[in-house]
């Protein structure tokens, strides 16, 4: 019987690669009996959904809108011209 | 075939996109701006080697990605890794047999949070609280999807197993932080 602590590691790993069949089975059995670990696993998956959005610049519910200021762009342009 | 444009136009053409890419990874506007500037200058120096076989923007983002990775590696190296907070979290969370001894509260309909600006701020705060090596891991794995072997090499971790362990720590910490800061549970 795997400990919950071990299950948190397996849950984490399963986000990145498929677990070997044996581990998957043991984990499923544990999850059947452990609500805390079921919740934890679901919460990690949510975290992954959130970071996926973040990586696509789709956080804040819409495409990211941050811009460089006009001054910043001008400074960069000046420096590029200086070094060209 | 990629077009090559006048570098003086790069800030207008690509500045915002590069800035956004850097900002989400570095979370600091000044650092992000500096990184974009360094990218343009490095690209300027290396223009001869750009064969135009990819889009110019892709090429520039590639340079930016490298610089960000270097920055994160350096930051991780500079902070000796001693995650006392994590050890404390472990001790609070699990008993001697490794079973939960804190309540894992339910997050009901969590995906609604993804539409709330305040959630993204909370997530940002939680990432900011990670030790530098785990923050670097977060960017490399969650944002840039690097493979464990590559992360292992970049962060000078002894084995890929170590990468899994570190990733698990990162996620345990992030979950805990969000649990408190967004979902409002106060355990332990």
């Amino acid at each position: 019987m795997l400990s919950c602590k071990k299950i948190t590691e397996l849950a984490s790993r399963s986000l990145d690669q498929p677990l070997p069949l044996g581990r998957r089975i043991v984990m499923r059995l544990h999850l059947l009996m452990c609500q805390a670990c079921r919740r934890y696993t679901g919460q990690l998956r949510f975290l992954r959904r959130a970071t996926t959005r973040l990586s696509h610049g789709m956080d804040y519910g819409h495409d990211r809108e941050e811009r460089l200021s006009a001054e910043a762009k001008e400074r960069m342009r000046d420096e590029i011209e200086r070094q060209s | 075939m990629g077009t090559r444009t006048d570098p003086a136009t790069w800030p207008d053409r690509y500045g915002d996109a590069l800035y956004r890419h850097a900002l989400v990874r570095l979370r600091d506007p000044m650092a992000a701006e500096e990184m974009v500037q360094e990218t343009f200058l490095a690209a300027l120096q290396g223009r001869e080697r750009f064969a135009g076989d990819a889009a110019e923007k892709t090429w520039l983002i590639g340079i930016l990605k490298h610089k960000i990775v270097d920055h994160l590696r350096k930051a991780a190296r500079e902070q000796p890794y001693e995650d006392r907070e994590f050890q404390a979290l472990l001790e609070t969370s699990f008993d001697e047999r490794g079973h939960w001894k804190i309540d894992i509260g339910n997050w009901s309909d969590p995906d609604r949070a993804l539409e709330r600006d305040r959630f993204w701020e909370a997530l940002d705060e939680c990432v900011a609280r990670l030790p530098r090596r785990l923050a670097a891991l977060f960017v490399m794995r969650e944002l840039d999807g690097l493979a464990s072997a590559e992360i292992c090499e970049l962060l000078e971790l002894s084995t890929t197993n170590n990468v899994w362990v570190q990733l698990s720590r990162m996620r345990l910490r992030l979950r805990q932080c969000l649990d408190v800061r967004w979902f409002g549970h106060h355990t332990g």
Side-chain angles (χ1 to χ4, degrees):
Chain A
M1 181 62 186
L2 291 181
S3 69
C4 299
K5 185 169 168 210
K6 186 65 190 167
I7 293 294
T8 63
E9 292 169 17
L10 290 179
S12 172
R13 184 142 181 184
S14 71
L15 288 182
D16 300 316
Q17 60 174 208
L19 295 176
L21 184 60
R23 295 274 98 178
R24 220 182 307 155
I25 290 171
V26 174
M27 181 166 152
R28 290 251 176 95
L29 282 174
H30 182 108
L31 292 183
L32 274 175
M33 296 182 288
C34 182
Q35 183 190 62
C37 284
R38 273 201 307 277
R39 286 178 174 171
Y40 185 85
T41 304
Q43 289 165 8
L44 284 204
R45 289 191 191 131
F46 164 74
L47 206 61
R48 170 51 65 81
R49 292 197 293 280
T51 59
T52 300
R53 282 242 226 164
L54 198 56
S55 72
H56 291 134
M58 289 179 55
D59 47 329
Y60 292 93
H62 50 71
D63 291 345
R64 289 195 148 244
E65 286 174 3
E66 288 95 352
R67 296 193 192 315
L68 287 169
S69 65
E71 293 77 29
K73 287 179 185 168
E74 195 179 318
R75 277 197 298 276
M76 291 184 190
R77 207 162 33 236
D78 289 345
E79 192 55 33
I80 289 170
E81 278 166 359
R82 209 176 64 78
Q83 293 198 22
S84 288
Chain B
M1 223 5 86
T3 356
R4 294 172 61 174
T5 62
D6 175 7
T9 67
W10 289 347
D12 282 330
R13 281 178 200 273
Y14 308 121
D16 291 335
L18 291 187
Y19 179 63
R20 282 192 283 268
H21 183 101
L23 189 61
V24 75
R25 286 155 178 80
L26 302 176
R27 291 175 359 270
D28 177 275
M30 268 178 56
E33 196 178 298
E34 238 178 77
M35 199 73 52
V36 173
Q37 164 122 331
E38 284 178 29
T39 297
F40 286 144
L41 297 179
L44 192 61
Q45 304 309 319
R47 274 170 90 212
E48 303 315 308
R49 277 177 273 123
F50 173 50
D53 52 337
E56 204 169 47
K57 183 175 170 183
T58 309
W59 170 60
L60 286 168
I61 293 217
I63 295 173
L64 176 62
K65 277 183 185 291
H66 264 104
K67 288 193 170 289
I68 289 173
V69 163
D70 282 347
H71 174 96
L72 293 172
R73 289 174 73 179
K74 185 159 174 270
R77 229 183 263 139
E78 280 168 3
Q79 186 182 64
Y81 186 62
E82 241 189 86
D83 197 352
R84 285 209 197 92
E85 274 187 61
F86 179 74
Q87 294 309 321
L89 180 60
L90 273 186
E91 273 162 41
T92 320
S93 305
F94 301 108
D95 65 25
E96 333 69 57
R97 278 156 53 237
H99 297 306
W100 288 109
K101 68 178 186 189
I102 55 168
D103 182 47
I104 302 298
N106 188 38
W107 291 1
S108 69
D109 201 3
D111 290 68
R112 271 181 315 166
L114 303 180
E115 308 307 320
R116 309 281 300 279
D117 284 3
R118 189 63 196 91
F119 168 77
W120 297 106
E121 285 169 27
L123 179 58
D124 190 71
E125 283 160 22
C126 290
V127 175
R129 292 168 67 92
L130 291 173
R132 288 186 198 165
R133 185 194 280 175
L134 296 187
L137 257 171
F138 177 82
V139 174
M140 291 178 185
R141 183 76 206 112
E142 297 301 317
L143 301 185
D144 291 338
L146 298 185
S148 60
E150 197 172 353
I151 294 175
C152 191
E153 212 181 296
L154 288 172
L155 292 178
E156 292 158 354
L157 296 172
S158 50
T159 60
T160 51
N161 191 59
N162 201 350
V163 176
W164 304 125
V165 169
Q166 303 292 333
L167 283 170
S168 183
R169 291 186 181 208
M170 177 198 75
R171 289 162 178 153
L172 194 87
R173 283 187 65 142
L174 280 182
R175 189 219 76 93
Q176 173 68 11
C177 181
L178 274 180
D179 193 44
V180 171
R181 279 168 186 263
W182 176 257
F183 293 97
H185 295 133
H186 298 279
T187 60

